[in-house]
Structures are given as C-alpha cells and as structure tokens.
C-alpha cells in the first residue's frame, strides 16, 4: 500500500493511541518496534506519527492532564464522507464522541463507539491516507473486535460500512470475518461472559513481530506487561501484552510471514 492509496470505505486504515506520557511512550515503542516519530496534526493536543523505514504506521497523542480516559489503541475505518458515516453510526445505535473535525490538511476524523461501547475511529482521507506499510515487523496487521456476541453488532458494522460478513462455522467459536471487496480486513469475536468487565467490548490491534517470544520478553524489559504468554493461534504465534500505560495489544509472528 502507498500513501496515495485511498482506502475503500470500511477498510481499517490507521491506528492511534492517546497517552499521558508522550515522550516515555515514544521511547517504549521505539525500542520495541524500531519506530521513529515526526509531528502530526495538533488539533487534539500534542500528536506524533510513527514511522517505520520512513513510512507512516501509527499515531500517538497526548491526553490533557485532566482527562482520565482509558489508554487503548484505536483502529480507524476509512470513509469517503465522515459526516454521512457519523450520521449512519448515530441512526444505527452507535455514538459519535468527537467530530467529525478537520485534522489540518490531512483529512477529517471522528471518534465513535458501536452499540456495545467499543471505540473506533472514522477517517476521511485528504493528504494523509493512513498506514503506508503493512506486513513487516513493527506494523499493524489485523484488528479484532472482542464483544459479547457477534450477530447484533455485526449488523451494525455491515449497515454502517457495507462490510460483507462471513460467520465462522463452529460450535465452539462465535466469530465473524469482515470483508471489503472480497478481502478479509477485520474480525468480530464474541466471547460472552469471558469479556473483561473492566474493559467491556473493545477493538484489539495486532502488530507483526519477527519473533513473538523475544518481543514479549522485550515488552517486559521495557516496563510493559505480558498478559498472555506466547502461544500458537490461527494467524500465527501471538501474545497479549500491554505498554507501561496499560494499552493492550497483540504481538504476532504471522503464519504468512513465517512462510514467506
């Protein structure tokens, strides 16, 4: 993908994190993923874009001191019209918490939540088209919604963004894959009462790493936590970790990467 590529509506196109300690957070992710940072739009306060080999892969902003919001990675879904998408979100039972607002010449954005409370962003690209590299270690490679059950919330995302939804046929799993133009782009996972009460429904971003075990060890060395140790899964060897401020994410050495 290139920076000039306008994403098809519904495609996850960016991930962003709002934290209290911007400098310390940059040091953590620089050491973990090899990111470098450049200034980004400052409409919501200090904000930097993370670069990997000169290509934009994520954003990190600083929360105002008086804002005690959960620190979490937030995926952004592409749209051709942020205003129309915001209206559709409201009409389908979701909430628009911020925006749509202009992010300088980069584009327009909104911060929203689905009817179960899971937070996500909406991005209408102008000059900034989102993640410019996906696949190499240090890049976001997948987003999954952890929710109570997939059928009702799946209808919300299908209606708002036009996803094609493919349920996973299993008596043991409540999982649904979302497709855009025939290509899988995200998934919904219903976990019922196993959903953490202190978090509720939430989106989870996975970042590619060259070695899951080594990356998990590094997370702990850098002051983060390993919440679920490395293990094998459908998409490869993964671990659930958090950064020093508590933002939870998945690190994965994907099967595709291992075969490449």
């Amino acid at each position: 993908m290139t920076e000039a590529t306008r994403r098809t509506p519904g495609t996850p196109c960016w991930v962003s994190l709002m934290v209290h300690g911007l400098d310390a957070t940059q040091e953590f992710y620089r050491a973990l993923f090899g990111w470098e940072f450049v200034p980004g739009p400052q409409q919501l306060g200090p904000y930097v874009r993370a670069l990997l080999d000169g290509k934009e892969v994520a954003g990190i902003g600083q929360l105002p001191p008086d804002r005690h919001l959960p620190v979490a990675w937030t995926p952004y879904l592409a749209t051709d019209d942020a205003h129309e998408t915001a209206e559709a979100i409201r009409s389908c039972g979701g909430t628009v918490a911020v925006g749509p607002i202009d992010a300088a010449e980069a584009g327009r954005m909104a911060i929203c939540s689905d009817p179960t409370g899971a937070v996500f962003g909406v991005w209408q690209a102008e000059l900034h088209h989102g993640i410019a590299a996906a696949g190499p270690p240090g890049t976001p490679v997948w987003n999954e919604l952890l929710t109570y059950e997939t059928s009702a919330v799946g209808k919300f995302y299908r209606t708002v963004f036009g996803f094609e939804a493919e349920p996973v046929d299993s008596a043991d799993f409540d999982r649904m894959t979302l497709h855009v133009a025939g290509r899988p782009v995200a998934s919904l996972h219903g976990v019922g009462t196993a959903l953490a009460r202190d978090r509720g429904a939430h989106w989870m971003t996975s970042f590619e790493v060259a070695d899951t075990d080594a990356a998990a060890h590094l997370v702990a060395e850098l002051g983060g936590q390993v919440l679920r140790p490395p293990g094998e899964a459908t998409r490869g060897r993964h671990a659930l970790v958090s950064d020093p401020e508590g933002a939870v994410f998945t690190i994965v050495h994907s099967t595709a990467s291992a075969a490449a």
Side-chain angles (χ1 to χ4, degrees):
M1 292 184 290
T2 67
E3 290 178 307
T5 301
R6 180 177 287 276
R7 292 343 193 251
T8 304
T11 306
C13 60
W14 190 242
V15 290
S16 192
L17 175 67
M18 299 297 290
V19 299
H20 298 284
L22 184 56
D23 291 342
T25 299
Q26 289 179 76
E27 290 305 313
F28 173 84
Y29 287 102
R30 179 181 285 112
L32 180 61
F33 292 141
W35 290 351
E36 296 298 331
F37 297 92
V38 296
Q42 308 291 305
Q43 274 75 4
L44 299 179
Y47 188 84
V48 295
R49 289 180 180 149
L51 308 181
L52 189 67
D53 296 327
K55 296 180 178 180
E56 297 175 336
V57 295
I60 304 176
Q62 183 166 308
L63 288 164
D66 59 341
R67 297 295 296 274
H68 301 288
L69 300 173
V71 175
W73 280 102
T74 301
Y76 282 70
L77 306 179
T79 180
D80 287 337
D81 189 318
H83 178 75
E84 285 189 3
T85 299
E87 289 302 310
I89 288 168
R90 292 189 185 98
S91 68
C92 291
T95 301
V96 180
V98 177
I101 60 173
D102 290 324
E105 70 280 0
R108 283 175 60 78
M109 58 161 283
I111 304 294
C112 313
S113 60
D114 66 28
T116 68
V119 176
F120 62 94
V122 169
W123 182 252
Q124 177 186 333
E126 295 299 336
L127 294 184
H128 176 62
H129 291 268
I131 298 167
T139 64
V141 290
W142 193 251
N143 291 283
E144 181 170 79
L145 174 66
L146 299 175
T147 188
Y148 301 97
E149 57 85 30
T150 64
S151 60
V153 76
K155 182 179 180 181
F156 167 85
Y157 286 100
R158 291 197 309 272
T159 303
V160 173
F161 293 101
F163 290 120
E164 305 145 20
E166 180 183 321
V168 176
D169 188 16
S170 171
D172 300 320
F173 297 101
D174 176 17
R175 184 171 268 130
M176 182 180 293
T177 303
L178 302 178
H179 296 251
V180 170
R183 183 173 64 90
V185 297
S187 54
L188 313 180
H189 187 187
V191 297
T193 56
L195 195 65
R197 290 186 179 182
D198 60 338
R199 294 203 66 194
H202 60 279
W203 280 93
M204 180 72 66
T205 297
S206 295
F207 294 89
E208 184 72 26
V209 293
D211 183 322
T212 305
D213 296 75
H217 182 73
L218 183 55
V219 165
E221 279 191 342
L222 295 171
Q225 288 186 290
V226 179
L227 305 175
R228 188 169 62 236
E232 301 299 330
T234 305
R235 292 186 171 272
R237 188 166 179 81
H238 73 135
L240 185 69
V241 300
S242 66
D243 68 20
E245 287 209 19
V248 180
F249 57 99
T250 300
I251 50 176
V252 60
H253 180 57
S254 66
T255 304
S257 293

